Amino acid sequence: MRILLDHFSKSFGSVRVIDDMTLEIKDGEMLALLGPSGCGKSTTLFAICGIHKVTSGRILFGDRDVTNVSSQERNVGVVFQSYALYPHMTVRENIAFPLRIRSLPEAEIKRLVNEMAGLVHIGSLLDRRPAELSGGQQQRVALARALVRRPNVLLLDEPLANLDAKLRLEMRSEIRRIQLETGITAILVTHDQVEAMSMCDRIAIMNNGQIIQIATPQEMYRNPRTAFVAGFLGNPPIAFIDAVARDGMLAVENADIRLPIPREADRVPEGTPVVVGIRPENLGTEGDAAIRGRVSFIETQGRENLYDITLANGKVLRSIQRVRDDVSLHDEVEWRVRSDQLFLFAQNGERL
Amino acid sequence: MSASRDIVEAAAVPAGAAAASAHPPRWRAGWLNSSRGLGLILLMPALVLVVLFFLMPVVLTGVFAFTNMSTATGISGGTYQVTPGALRELADRHGMDELAEKLGQPSFVVDEQGLKALEEMGIEPAIIADLREGHLGETHASRREFERMLRDLPERPDTRTVKRISGEFSRSLANSRFSSRESLLAAAEGVDPELTEEEKTALVQATYTGWVWTADNFRRMASSRDTVRILLNTIFFVATTLIIFNTAFAMLLAITTHYIPERPAGIFRIIWFLPRISPAVIYVLLWKWFAWDTGFLSAFLDNFGIRPRNWMLDTAANAWFFVIVINGFVGASMGMVIFSSAIKAIPESLFHAASVDGAYRWQQVRHIILPQLKWPILFVTCYQTLSLLTSIEQTLLATDGGPGGATEIWSLAIYHTALNNYAGNLQYGYGAAMALVLVVIGIVLSLIYLRVFNYRALVAKPRIEL
Ligand SMILES: Nc1ncnc2c1ncn2[C@@H]1O[C@H](COP(=O)(O)OP(=O)(O)OP(=O)(O)O)[C@@H](O)[C@H]1O
Ligand SMILES: [Mg+2]
């Protein structure tokens, strides 16, 4: 079901946490709400499921305005960050709870619970209590409980934050698999860009209660709208250096580096101070511009190495390349970068 | 890498040093150093206090329960007194009517003892000789008969002498008092020389005024009609107060305050806490003023033409109403505080989850709050049963068991039996026996509660599997 947040704002007392957000989640889509801690992701989620009342604006499920509908009536499935399983109930009772409350016939409940347990692979755990489950198993139970009522939308609030690295990887693909199998509309709240990029159809990136950009992961990575977005996506992250437009080129102060202005941003007035963003994978052996510096750090990652290059003015750029034997620590190097892969931002962070 | 280095280092330590570290040096080995010994010493004052003030009263109650101590017997030893009551007891309880009658009647026996006394008094030897020869061993049922016999003696003693003589042969035990068992029995044998062992024992028992060991208290309790009435009163009082106020009402308060904003909830809680923190006397006095025949209730109802009266003691039903409400409000605050904090301890996300799962408030109460409050409910039920069973001050101050014993509960009955009653005979032994029964009931109830609520399952540690 399509979900629409229409000019939604939320204040706690005098503090405005969400300011005039408009966001559409398409039917059957999985959307990531990505942003740093405290930017208002959970608040948005709680507004969608009805736990928080909105201060202004509307929330639509399909064509139905649910702004003033109680959370009990919205039919939303939520997986909370702490899972919020009922500790005194068995796994079976936990999953059956939303159905029991709706007074479904016992036989029907049984069938749906078993079906759901099969989907999330916890068929053998049904008679245990939450305290007797591992984190990953609890996660699956929470997912089953959220899905069993066939909700209009599935909301996941940092569902992987409490899992260890290996389990996180496993549950990442599990959640995506289940979402695709059920075809449910889902919103995933996370502050982990890898999670957002790997699991979701689209990403809405948030900062300070506002949505900065909504796009597919690829599009957002290739074409960030602001320096904040560019900085948030990518691991290892993008590096920024200050430069000034001079003689149709970008001059990096005190570093004897001149970069060509990327074609899509060539209307940069002479003398404008700009910020240049260079992704680590774009700095290496190929390109039409040269960057000189000294290798100040080498991090071995197995297949590839991560090199830190300190420029003459002290700024540090990162480069990720396959392991090279010809480069060692403290070497002076001159590496290349392709001008069409540079990102140019104004001082306020807007893309040029 | 580091593990192998550790091994190398361990091997490098000289063998002697390793041996030394395996055995602690002598000065550290004292028992004081073991945490057990030190712990015992530190616990000593507490242990002494526990024994003195917690264990001793229970033990003493148990001891007193098997005596017949009362104001009449005193708590030290007693004497042997042939009172009409003692004689009645001899007749009724031991079936020795004849003996009782004999001991109770004034009787005059001509015996050597009396004759010897006469000799010492300097009575004419001829009279003594007459008595010895003609009348030795005779028993006369009354003074008149005996004195007639004396006057008819050949020596014809004058009236004064007759009186002097008859005094010496009076062998009645009625209303006489003996300091020891032996003197009592000697006197009794004077009246009836053929006393059997059985009769002696009965006589000693019936006339002893001090306390004795006995299980009579329990026999009396088991057969007394009052016991049943007081027991039913107590069950009614405890069950009603516990269910209506200490758990249900407390739970209602806790749940209500959970769902209203924090500030009003706090004020609300404090209001219900007032009965608990105000002194019992003042709290009950306020109720009495409220229910007095010139108090608030009467004055208010007077406006509607209802006759003023003491509403608290007017009828048994009224008395019960006030007793339960007064005790209930005191007890409710404790349940409320415990339930409130238990509800607060439930993570808020559970309520959020329940809301989106479709559960409205009363369903949240039923499915989320109540099941998770099993342990606090057990605790409050258990604790409050015991405290209601033993609670006394509010009821004592409010109705003192009235009207006419309608609200006489077990603890109050103990107080009235052992410490304060109108008859003035305080029956410590019987009171102690009643108290002992209360203690036993309390212990049994606690065990049952723990069983019912499956204590083990409640405190079992969750098994976490990773
Ligand atoms: N009940 C509340 N009362 C007042 N302020 C709140 C409340 N809930 C959240 N906030 C504030 O709203 C802002 C956004 O909170 P929110 O929980 O939505 O952040 P988030 O993006 O989910 O962060 P995180 O990633 O740490 O969970 C925060 O600054 C927080 O302090
Ligand atoms: Mg959050």
Side-chain angles (χ1 to χ4, degrees):
Chain A
M1 184 174 289
R2 180 194 73 131
I3 308 294
L4 177 66
L5 301 179
D6 185 19
H7 297 286
F8 150 61
S9 297
K10 174 71 192 173
S11 305
F12 290 107
S14 60
V15 185
R16 176 146 289 215
V17 175
I18 306 288
D19 191 17
D20 193 27
M21 175 196 286
T22 297
L23 173 66
E24 184 184 7
I25 302 106
K26 295 186 194 127
D27 186 22
E29 162 181 68
M30 181 140 171
L31 179 105
L33 266 186
L34 178 65
S37 186
C39 72
K41 307 181 296 287
S42 297
T43 307
T44 309
L45 211 70
F46 281 8
I48 296 173
C49 64
I51 291 169
H52 287 341
K53 283 225 161 344
V54 306
T55 307
S56 67
R58 294 190 308 157
I59 298 175
L60 278 80
F61 286 9
D63 293 326
R64 179 169 168 235
D65 186 343
V66 297
T67 314
N68 293 314
V69 173
S70 73
S71 55
Q72 284 87 352
E73 300 295 324
R74 285 196 194 184
N75 194 25
V76 172
V78 185
V79 175
F80 292 90
Q81 178 170 348
S82 57
Y83 312 141
L85 298 178
Y86 309 123
H88 54 287
M89 299 182 195
T90 62
V91 168
R92 188 192 305 281
E93 290 162 345
N94 263 284
I95 300 175
F97 186 72
L99 307 177
R100 285 254 153 74
I101 291 294
R102 285 168 176 72
S103 306
L104 258 63
E106 257 333 284
E108 179 75 357
I109 292 179
K110 198 166 176 193
R111 190 181 64 74
L112 287 171
V113 168
N114 286 336
E115 184 185 309
M116 205 39 75
L119 180 72
V120 302
H121 303 321
I122 48 166
S124 59
L125 307 174
L126 284 177
D127 292 316
R128 297 214 200 157
R129 283 179 201 280
E132 301 166 345
L133 298 178
S134 73
Q137 290 165 337
Q138 291 185 10
Q139 163 97 76
R140 286 168 191 267
V141 176
L143 205 55
R145 185 181 66 184
L147 287 171
V148 74
R149 77 204 80 171
R150 309 209 175 284
N152 293 322
V153 58
L154 174 67
L155 306 179
L156 304 142
D157 191 358
E158 312 211 12
L160 306 176
N162 289 344
L163 303 181
D164 66 46
K166 184 165 164 288
L167 208 53
R168 200 176 300 179
L169 218 64
E170 180 189 323
M171 286 312 294
R172 218 149 77 184
S173 50
E174 272 296 280
I175 291 175
R176 180 59 164 166
R177 169 184 73 79
I178 291 161
Q179 189 264 334
L180 289 174
E181 260 176 59
T182 52
I184 193 171
T185 311
I187 301 177
L188 172 82
V189 161
T190 178
H191 55 233
D192 180 349
Q193 49 101 11
V194 182
E195 232 168 84
M197 300 231 293
S198 61
M199 291 170 72
C200 294
D201 300 307
R202 287 197 303 159
I203 296 174
I205 194 158
M206 279 182 75
N207 195 19
N208 286 329
Q210 284 182 322
I211 292 190
I212 312 288
Q213 186 175 2
I214 308 180
T216 63
Q218 269 306 320
E219 171 63 15
M220 191 173 276
Y221 188 77
R222 286 215 195 110
N223 219 347
R225 184 174 294 165
T226 68
F228 174 79
V229 176
F232 215 87
L233 297 188
N235 186 25
I238 195 167
F240 296 106
I241 47 174
D242 294 326
V244 180
R246 195 164 291 150
D247 308 333
M249 298 283 273
L250 298 170
V252 179
E253 301 287 334
N254 307 326
D256 189 20
I257 293 173
R258 291 167 68 80
L259 301 168
I261 295 179
R263 208 172 314 128
E264 68 265 28
D266 53 9
R267 249 161 292 137
V268 182
E270 184 76 4
T272 319
V274 296
V275 178
V276 181
I278 303 174
R279 290 211 187 272
E281 65 268 29
N282 293 336
L283 178 60
T285 49
E286 287 168 35
D288 49 357
I291 288 182
R292 274 175 300 279
R294 198 160 45 79
V295 177
S296 56
F297 184 74
I298 303 177
E299 185 183 307
T300 312
Q301 294 193 336
R303 190 153 39 84
E304 289 159 333
N305 274 358
L306 180 65
Y307 302 94
D308 278 7
I309 302 191
T310 306
L311 306 184
N313 65 359
K315 293 275 181 197
V316 178
L317 290 181
R318 274 177 290 261
S319 165
I320 192 155
Q321 300 175 44
R322 57 178 179 72
V323 177
R324 291 172 63 150
D325 298 328
D326 56 337
V327 178
S328 52
L329 207 55
H330 306 311
D331 283 358
E332 292 286 343
V333 293
E334 181 180 305
W335 280 342
R336 314 216 128 251
V337 64
R338 272 170 56 180
S339 60
D340 55 353
Q341 279 164 338
L342 296 178
F343 298 127
L344 231 57
F345 302 100
Q347 290 273 289
N348 64 4
E350 286 294 322
R351 180 86 177 273
L352 291 173
Chain B
M1 176 70 180
S2 79
S4 69
R5 193 170 56 223
D6 284 349
I7 291 167
V8 171
E9 271 173 14
V13 174
S21 67
H23 300 281
R26 179 164 287 209
W27 56 268
R28 286 177 58 202
W31 67 277
L32 233 168
N33 245 327
S34 78
S35 57
R36 249 204 119 206
L38 194 63
L40 262 180
I41 287 187
L42 291 175
L43 270 177
M44 226 41 201
L47 279 178
V48 168
L49 289 179
V50 163
V51 169
L52 264 185
F53 294 110
F54 290 83
L55 213 51
M56 279 303 280
V58 177
V59 170
L60 284 179
T61 304
V63 170
F64 288 156
F66 290 91
T67 70
N68 65 348
M69 279 184 199
S70 67
T71 314
T73 67
I75 55 170
S76 49
T79 57
Y80 300 85
Q81 221 167 341
V82 190
T83 58
L87 292 176
R88 212 176 309 123
E89 197 187 325
L90 203 56
D92 295 349
R93 281 205 27 208
H94 302 278
M96 300 173 179
D97 305 55
E98 247 174 77
L99 180 66
E101 207 178 324
K102 235 187 255 172
L103 294 175
Q105 264 176 13
S107 65
F108 293 81
V109 181
V110 184
D111 51 13
E112 278 297 339
Q113 185 193 344
L115 294 173
K116 220 168 270 160
L118 294 190
E119 281 166 8
E120 273 159 31
M121 282 163 67
I123 300 289
E124 274 177 68
I127 299 177
I128 299 173
D130 280 347
L131 279 174
R132 183 171 282 136
E133 273 145 42
H135 301 279
L136 190 66
E138 267 183 15
T139 300
H140 298 264
S142 71
R143 182 179 286 263
R144 257 176 71 191
E145 195 186 311
F146 182 62
E147 288 184 354
R148 192 178 317 128
M149 183 274 282
L150 288 179
R151 272 192 221 102
D152 291 346
L153 285 175
E155 297 295 321
R156 300 271 165 195
D158 62 41
T159 308
R160 234 189 88 229
T161 315
V162 166
K163 290 276 179 231
R164 285 179 66 194
I165 294 173
S166 68
E168 287 310 312
F169 290 94
S170 168
R171 289 290 173 269
S172 170
L173 294 186
N175 294 320
S176 48
R177 178 191 195 132
F178 304 90
S179 59
S180 74
R181 182 189 151 94
E182 286 66 36
S183 56
L184 166 72
L185 289 179
E189 273 172 334
V191 175
D192 182 353
E194 278 128 47
L195 275 182
T196 63
E197 272 311 306
E198 196 188 343
E199 281 171 329
K200 283 183 190 167
T201 320
L203 179 62
V204 166
Q205 227 176 66
T207 55
Y208 187 59
T209 61
W211 61 269
V212 293
W213 297 107
T214 172
D216 273 357
N217 293 327
F218 297 97
R219 254 175 248 131
R220 191 177 135 201
M221 214 185 302
S223 59
S224 164
R225 278 249 214 84
D226 278 349
T227 309
V228 178
R229 193 174 51 81
I230 293 169
L231 194 66
L232 289 179
N233 279 351
T234 310
I235 292 172
F236 175 73
F237 166 70
V238 172
T240 318
T241 315
L242 183 73
I243 293 170
I244 298 182
F245 283 97
N246 293 0
T247 50
F249 187 62
M251 184 66 80
L252 187 74
L253 290 175
I255 289 173
T256 326
T257 49
H258 172 70
Y259 281 117
I260 62 179
E262 197 45 50
R263 268 179 79 93
I267 294 170
F268 205 60
R269 281 196 201 108
I270 287 175
I271 290 175
W272 290 107
F273 211 61
L274 282 176
R276 167 111 276 170
I277 55 181
S278 51
V281 177
I282 291 172
Y283 169 65
V284 176
L285 217 55
L286 288 174
W287 276 102
K288 286 189 124 165
W289 283 340
F290 176 75
W292 223 240
D293 46 6
T294 55
F296 177 83
L297 197 58
S298 292
F300 178 73
L301 291 175
D302 203 20
N303 295 333
F304 304 95
I306 297 173
R307 179 176 60 80
R309 67 190 87 163
N310 185 346
W311 289 92
M312 196 181 281
L313 290 171
D314 190 32
T315 62
N318 280 7
W320 272 124
F321 173 81
F322 280 103
V323 164
I324 288 169
V325 166
I326 289 172
N327 279 285
F329 283 173
V330 173
S333 58
M334 168 178 165
M336 176 190 71
V337 169
I338 288 181
F339 295 151
S340 286
S341 56
I343 294 174
K344 267 220 184 82
I346 299 176
E348 202 179 9
S349 63
L350 285 193
F351 293 105
H352 289 162
S355 287
V356 298
D357 282 348
Y360 287 95
R361 277 189 185 170
W362 71 267
Q363 287 169 316
Q364 292 177 16
V365 170
R366 180 161 137 32
H367 293 288
I368 311 297
I369 294 182
L370 289 183
Q372 298 204 56
L373 255 48
K374 248 182 153 186
W375 174 242
I377 291 172
L378 161 71
F379 173 72
V380 168
T381 307
C382 204
Y383 187 91
Q384 294 284 34
T385 309
L386 299 182
S387 72
L388 280 173
L389 272 177
T390 54
S391 94
I392 174 165
E393 64 266 42
Q394 278 85 8
T395 315
L396 173 72
L397 292 166
T399 65
D400 195 17
T407 55
E408 181 89 340
I409 52 176
W410 198 271
S411 54
L412 204 52
I414 296 174
Y415 172 74
H416 284 152
T417 306
L419 299 173
N420 183 2
N421 64 20
Y422 299 118
N425 185 22
L426 305 180
Q427 306 174 60
Y428 315 127
Y430 191 51
M434 292 180 78
L436 191 66
V437 168
L438 198 62
V439 169
V440 171
I441 289 176
I443 292 173
V444 170
L445 280 182
S446 317
L447 293 177
I448 292 175
Y449 281 137
L450 290 178
R451 217 345 108 69
V452 168
F453 279 83
N454 198 356
Y455 180 74
R456 262 168 221 281
L458 281 168
V459 297
K461 280 199 183 131
R463 184 170 55 86
I464 296 192
E465 181 194 298
L466 286 169

